[in-house]
């Protein structure tokens, strides 16, 4: 992990860009000297485009005493495209534009290779991040892609709680994996999310094996998560990562 | 409204039992002198049986600066039974014990007459309560029976926000009424509630006309609402009743 830039935000949060091999990422740490629990900030891909929302979430977490980090997804932002993923994305777009139901086969082609590739990258990032001074444990995962968060919750024992954003199509195979999740979960669902299948999100919530799981459904579209829902997610981490 | 008893709880909350005509009720007010917003505490009937949970909710609300009040439901506790309601309750019990789906017709017989009778009583209680010194506005409704809360939200303009507990059978007629609700709603659903229909609860949530509505679903049965879910409901009232 190599740091490539460093700046102090006006609220005292230290923002550092880094690369992990070919993968760009950003780390935000609060001002306090004590080792901070870490939240991995998930997103749909495209760090530059997503930056305003990512930094807002990181500042909120820093105010609660948490470090946050994120990495670019395979095939997004400045990373090389995959022809197969681009094709699947185009097929998805076409189905949505035509108002057609999204084929399981499209969701499989779009999401499963992404999960396969991204999850080991997040794990490698975790190795590097946890070796830094100022970053302690426990670790939480927050956000989308929900299939990446689900797989991480199953395979990565260092993640002890997750806020999952039900805002992307879920391959059927992930429902079986969801049953193996046992960590506390806080699932956010936007009731009118235009690029999502509400019933699939409810089914996935039902499938999670966790003894403590909570669904917070709010009105509005994909990007309309209300402030109070973000606050509630922050309180979930405060309960589980301290 | 006549007060029949008065005692000060150890946290300073003043608990007063009252009667409103034939209807018994309880009023809890916080120690502070300023007029407090009021939360009407809904329940499934049986003030004596429910008392431990009711007083816990009232103390929590008092700590947030709210007065709380509740009244006995028609046909429950010490109030005269209705033969028709008892028959409907027995039919419901029989269907549940047999593992059969609950007929709409049973839910109609059980719930609709209760709503018809209870809602004007809650409104009369509200008239009396809001005339007391120490009780101001705004007013919230909190709890079950969800059909009573729904009807109150439609017909009673003094209620400005509601926490509704989706824990009872909902007559089909209530779905139409739900569309007329416009106040902010916070709906609690116990995912494994044994005496409830989860899909009907989700459908009812979908039907509410409110621009701000949030569903909090948690694991466990009817009486297993986790502490953090109660805290979240309290924060909803803090946002809307102050």
């Amino acid at each position: 992990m190599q740091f490539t830039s460093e700046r102090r935000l006006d609220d005292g949060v230290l923002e550092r860009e880094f690369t992990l091999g070919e993968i760009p990422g950003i780390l935000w740490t609060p001002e306090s000297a004590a080792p901070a629990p870490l939240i991995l900030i998930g997103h749909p891909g495209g760090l530059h485009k997503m930056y305003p929302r990512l930094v807002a979430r990181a500042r909120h977490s820093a105010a609660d005493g948490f470090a946050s980090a994120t990495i670019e997804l395979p095939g997004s932002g400045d990373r090389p495209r995959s022809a197969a993923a681009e094709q699947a994305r185009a097929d998805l777009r076409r189905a949505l534009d035509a108002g057609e139901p999204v084929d399981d086969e499209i969701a499989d082609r779009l999401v499963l290779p992404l999960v396969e590739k991204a999850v080991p990258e997040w794990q490698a990032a975790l190795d590097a991040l946890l070796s830094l001074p100022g970053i302690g444990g426990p670790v939480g995962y927050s956000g989308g892609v929900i299939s990446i968060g689900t797989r991480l919750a199953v395979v990565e024992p260092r993640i002890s709680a997750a806020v999952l954003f039900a805002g992307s199509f879920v391959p059927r195979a992930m429902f079986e994996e969801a049953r193996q999740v046992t960590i506390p979960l806080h699932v956010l669902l936007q009731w009118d999310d235009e690029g999502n299948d509400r019933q699939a999100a409810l089914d996935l919530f039902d499938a999670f094996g966790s003894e403590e799981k909570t669904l917070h459904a709010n009105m509005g579209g994909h990007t309309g998560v209300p402030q109070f829902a973000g606050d509630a997610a922050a309180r979930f981490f405060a309960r589980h990562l301290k």
Side-chain angles (χ1 to χ4, degrees), chain A:
Chain A
M1 173 178 273
Q2 294 221 301
F3 288 111
T4 56
S5 79
E6 171 174 330
R7 66 177 183 131
R8 183 76 65 178
L9 307 183
D10 54 14
D11 50 5
V13 173
L14 183 64
E15 175 181 274
R16 284 175 282 180
E17 296 185 301
F18 63 81
T19 56
L20 186 75
E22 305 297 305
I23 308 165
I26 314 175
L27 169 64
W28 294 272
T29 42
E31 254 187 321
S32 95
L38 175 66
I39 295 174
L40 301 175
I41 302 188
H43 58 84
L47 286 191
H48 291 305
K49 192 184 60 185
M50 292 295 296
Y51 177 80
R53 279 190 275 162
L54 298 172
V55 73
R57 288 157 66 189
R59 284 174 189 259
H60 194 152
S61 296
D64 291 337
F66 299 122
S68 312
T70 191
I71 54 174
E72 186 59 276
L73 292 187
S76 288
D78 299 332
R79 300 188 62 186
R81 295 291 178 275
S82 135
E86 293 300 300
Q87 184 59 52
R89 204 184 304 270
D91 294 343
L92 173 68
R93 181 52 49 204
R94 196 170 315 124
L96 289 177
D97 287 350
E100 292 167 7
V102 174
D103 245 33
D104 283 349
E105 179 270 334
I106 298 179
D108 286 357
R109 275 193 287 132
L110 186 66
V111 179
L112 292 180
L114 180 67
V115 171
E116 286 295 329
K117 191 146 189 223
V119 166
E121 294 179 351
W122 282 98
Q123 292 184 288
L126 201 46
D127 293 341
L129 291 161
L130 289 176
S131 70
L132 295 174
I135 312 283
V139 179
Y141 182 87
S142 172
V145 173
I146 196 166
S147 297
I148 293 177
T150 300
R151 170 74 59 85
L152 273 168
V154 172
V155 302
E156 179 48 69
R158 290 172 294 184
I159 294 180
S160 49
V163 171
L164 297 178
F165 182 57
S168 48
F169 288 92
V170 179
R172 302 309 300 178
M174 295 309 299
F175 287 80
E176 265 315 303
E177 243 166 281
R179 289 180 217 290
Q180 300 168 44
V181 176
T182 57
I183 60 172
L185 294 182
H186 181 105
V187 179
L188 286 174
L189 171 64
Q190 287 298 98
W191 201 248
D192 304 310
D193 195 336
E194 54 286 350
N196 191 13
D197 176 339
R198 185 197 299 162
Q199 191 56 52
L202 293 169
D203 291 345
L204 186 66
F205 176 71
D206 190 47
F208 285 120
S210 306
E211 197 173 317
E212 183 190 326
K213 54 179 177 178
T214 299
L215 176 73
H216 281 204
N218 287 288
M219 290 308 95
H222 190 82
T223 58
V225 177
Q227 171 76 41
F228 61 80
D231 294 345
R235 273 186 296 267
F236 168 81
F237 278 133
R239 277 193 290 121
H240 288 288
L241 299 185
K242 282 191 170 167

